[in-house]
Amino acid sequence: MSRPTLVSLARELGVSRQTVSNVLNAPHLVRPSTRQRVQEAIERSGYRPSAVAQALRRKKSSTIAMRMYPTSDGINGAVMDRFLHRVVEQAESMGHRVVLFTAADDRAEIGALRDLIDRDSIDACLLTSTTAGDPRPAELGAAGIAFGAFGRPWGEEDTASHLWADVDGRAGTRAATEHLIDRGYRRVGFIGWPDGPGVGQDRLQGWADIVRERLGVDDPDEWLVRSDDGIVQGSAAATELLRRGCDALVCTSDSFATGAFDVFRGRPDLDGVLPIIGFDDTPVARAIGLSSITQPVEAAATLLVHRLVARATGDDGDTSMPTCRPVGSDGHLLAPVLQLRALAAAPAPALLSRARPDGDVGSGRLLEPTGG
Amino acid sequence: MSRPTLVSLARELGVSRQTVSNVLNAPHLVRPSTRQRVQEAIERSGYRPSAVAQALRRKKSSTIAMRMYPTSDGINGAVMDRFLHRVVEQAESMGHRVVLFTAADDRAEIGALRDLIDRDSIDACLLTSTTAGDPRPAELGAAGIAFGAFGRPWGEEDTASHLWADVDGRAGTRAATEHLIDRGYRRVGFIGWPDGPGVGQDRLQGWADIVRERLGVDDPDEWLVRSDDGIVQGSAAATELLRRGCDALVCTSDSFATGAFDVFRGRPDLDGVLPIIGFDDTPVARAIGLSSITQPVEAAATLLVHRLVARATGDDGDTSMPTCRPVGSDGHLLAPVLQLRALAAAPAPALLSRARPDGDVGSGRLLEPTGG
């Protein structure tokens, strides 16, 4: 009789090779009844994983670390919580767990990650909220710590060599602005975050591109208000942009858009049309019926965890990955989706009577231009 | 010269005993510059922690496990994400980290926790989403695994011996219903989850108590609609309760209340008053200006993690704990807070013109009764 192997054991038991491997390496993933059956068969068979495989396995903690940021905002913070949920689910499906820690700043985060690696507590880590000049990728790379980043290496997209995934915010605001122009709006304004490289500038750029290209505007700043994030700030900015003659708005965040939405809804002269598009498609946007731009954060989480774990373990696993545009040597840019919707549930009759059904927005009603 | 101790080292360096201990046991908590200074002093002094202390330390993983549930609902799920954030922060402040895992059901969760304990990967764990007849406390207790539960042992509050903290939902809906009655409403309805013991029944009971006591209603079910959670379901239930003559509503969730809010806002005969109170004080409630009941989830997280880690490590740490009502041998019931607010930002003029400023709701305007 030949020496038993994972494959022969799996065949004998009528389970997959992965199941036998999981019983040995990640038993929590296997249903208790199956686990017991496989364990008994392993004992009967005399199967022993090789010493090298065991040593390798012992070195693996099967854990990924991720820094948890404070809840900065109940509205936009939901995106990072969605990302975390998906990270944990994808990691679990590959036999890994996720350990969370907090850090006061990037330096403290690097220190915490070095400490976790030194203690063999983690195999790899995920970075989020990358910024221009971010010290983390270079430091972790120099320390030989495996990592992936949710967020691009701003300004170094083509030259950075590490694994990253990001959402193409600029493509999202381009699509939103084009949609409004296609509907006949001719003075599409933008509510943006304070000046500076990174996510906010990327989103603003998509709007500025289209306003220049399609509306022939030389200086889009005329229709731009920048502010710290927030609902009240969004209302103030929308009031200012209406004063400057804007007839529609694209916003860097759903917080801004929620505030703008209230201003538009409160102006009888706007006839109840709400040509406002937010960013992030948060629960708030869905609840009030606000159009928004959806970040495929779950796809980003799946891609990053899959690649990171597959490389750390040499196991390719499931290879059905989200489609995305490759950038540089190991970057992945995912396309956001424009989510058009009408007021949820039962909007005020005054609004409903003004709107017409429209194929573009499913069963919703929204975004009819006032003129044009 | 006497043998150096933690205390003498701390005195020499002008730092706290805890800081020296952290440098040895949880270096990630200490600012790098301080850490280096303390480490150098430790090396110079020849200080060596005792072998027993080291062995004890090695046995400690300084990690707490918690199951992450799928995101069931973008609105109400925010509460559990808030809890998790606070758990991670409180754990970190006591030198501990949090490892997350997913599980298909309670049995799988128990299996995962046993596995983590067997591998010395965790010291303790937190349970959430407890139910009547929950198998987890007894099984973890029998296995000698230290745990705390966010959620009471339904039906066994007085006899259970494990550490738990929960929010007094019944007190929350009592306060909400009393508030509406004090404002002159006489037919206060309730939108509840499907029948069954646990959180939903607890919240419903607070409303039923007050409707019986204050309004002398024998059968409050007349003003009750039960439904699966959701905004659309909340709208349908509110429409039905208006038909039955209700003039105000308390809801088991902000999802329900958001749907009800839209129905009330769309009824010109209601004169723009919105006597609706939700539950959980979610970002959606804050964004649309909905009154709601705030769960002190951060306080619950602080209490649970603090007690759990303090018991596991024998370190009392910071003892400033949230106030709460003790129940049974180790239960803690925290009082929720009624959060009254007006429409956020700029509500429609039709609504504003109807409302009057009112001291009770801060600078907001809401909840003026139609009659009474």
Side-chain angles (χ1 to χ4, degrees), chain A residues 51-171:
Chain A
V52 171
Q54 280 196 318
L56 271 174
R57 199 166 61 242
R58 265 199 297 274
K59 259 192 58 183
K60 296 290 175 199
S61 63
S62 297
T63 305
I64 297 169
M66 185 171 138
R67 169 177 169 193
M68 182 171 243
Y69 288 76
T71 321
S72 58
D73 172 330
I75 296 183
N76 304 314
V79 171
M80 285 314 299
D81 288 325
R82 272 171 54 203
F83 180 77
L84 173 60
H85 274 270
R86 185 67 190 152
V87 162
V88 174
E89 287 157 16
Q90 177 66 26
E92 186 85 18
S93 78
M94 300 179 80
H96 277 56
R97 294 202 169 116
V98 176
V99 67
L100 297 178
F101 62 98
T102 63
D105 54 30
D106 288 343
R107 301 237 74 84
E109 179 177 0
I110 294 166
L113 291 169
R114 281 176 174 277
D115 178 61
L116 284 163
I117 285 280
D118 288 349
R119 294 165 183 244
D120 288 330
S121 296
I122 60 168
D123 300 332
C125 61
L126 281 176
L127 307 180
T128 63
S129 309
T130 59
T131 53
D134 200 312
R136 297 172 297 171
E139 294 233 12
L140 295 180
I145 299 175
F147 71 98
F150 179 40
R152 72 195 76 178
W154 295 98
E156 296 164 31
E157 286 90 334
D158 295 323
T159 52
S161 59
H162 67 267
L163 168 67
W164 60 265
D166 202 356
V167 174
D168 191 347
R170 184 171 178 170

Side-chain angles (χ1 to χ4, degrees), chain A residues 332-372:
Chain A
H332 310 267
L333 214 46
L334 285 81
V337 177
L338 185 55
Q339 184 70 49
L340 301 173
R341 58 169 67 90
L343 282 171
L351 305 188
L352 262 183
S353 64
R354 282 288 156 191
R356 297 197 305 267
D358 187 302
D360 255 13
V361 294
S363 61
R365 303 169 175 91
L366 200 63
L367 297 175
E368 290 303 312
T370 47

Side-chain angles (χ1 to χ4, degrees), chain A residues 27 69 74 85 97-98 100 116, chain B residues 69 85 97-98 100 116 119 283:
Chain A
Y69 288 76
H85 274 270
R97 294 202 169 116
V98 176
L100 297 178
L116 284 163
Chain B
Y69 288 74
H85 273 271
R97 295 206 166 111
V98 177
L100 297 178
L116 284 163
R119 295 165 183 244

Side-chain angles (χ1 to χ4, degrees), chain A residues 24-28 35 63 68-71 74-75 81 84-85 88-89 92 97-102 111-112 115-116 119 231 235 258-259 262-263 265-266 268 283-284 286-288 344-349, chain B residues 24-28 35 63 68-71 74-75 81 84-85 88-89 92 97-102 111-112 115-116 119 231 235 258-259 262-263 265-266 268 283-284 286-288 344-349:
Chain A
L24 291 163
N25 301 312
H28 63 281
R35 192 197 304 175
T63 305
M68 182 171 243
Y69 288 76
T71 321
I75 296 183
D81 288 325
L84 173 60
H85 274 270
V88 174
E89 287 157 16
E92 186 85 18
R97 294 202 169 116
V98 176
V99 67
L100 297 178
F101 62 98
T102 63
D115 178 61
L116 284 163
R119 294 165 183 244
I231 294 176
S235 289
T258 300
D262 266 336
V263 168
R265 201 154 54 177
V284 169
R286 291 194 291 279
I288 66 175
Chain B
L24 291 163
N25 301 312
H28 62 281
R35 193 196 305 175
T63 304
M68 182 172 243
Y69 288 74
T71 321
I75 296 183
D81 288 326
L84 173 61
H85 273 271
V88 174
E89 287 157 16
E92 186 86 19
R97 295 206 166 111
V98 177
V99 67
L100 297 178
F101 62 98
T102 64
D115 179 62
L116 284 163
R119 295 165 183 244
I231 294 176
S235 289
T258 300
D262 266 337
V263 169
R265 202 153 53 175
V284 170
R286 291 194 290 279
I288 67 175

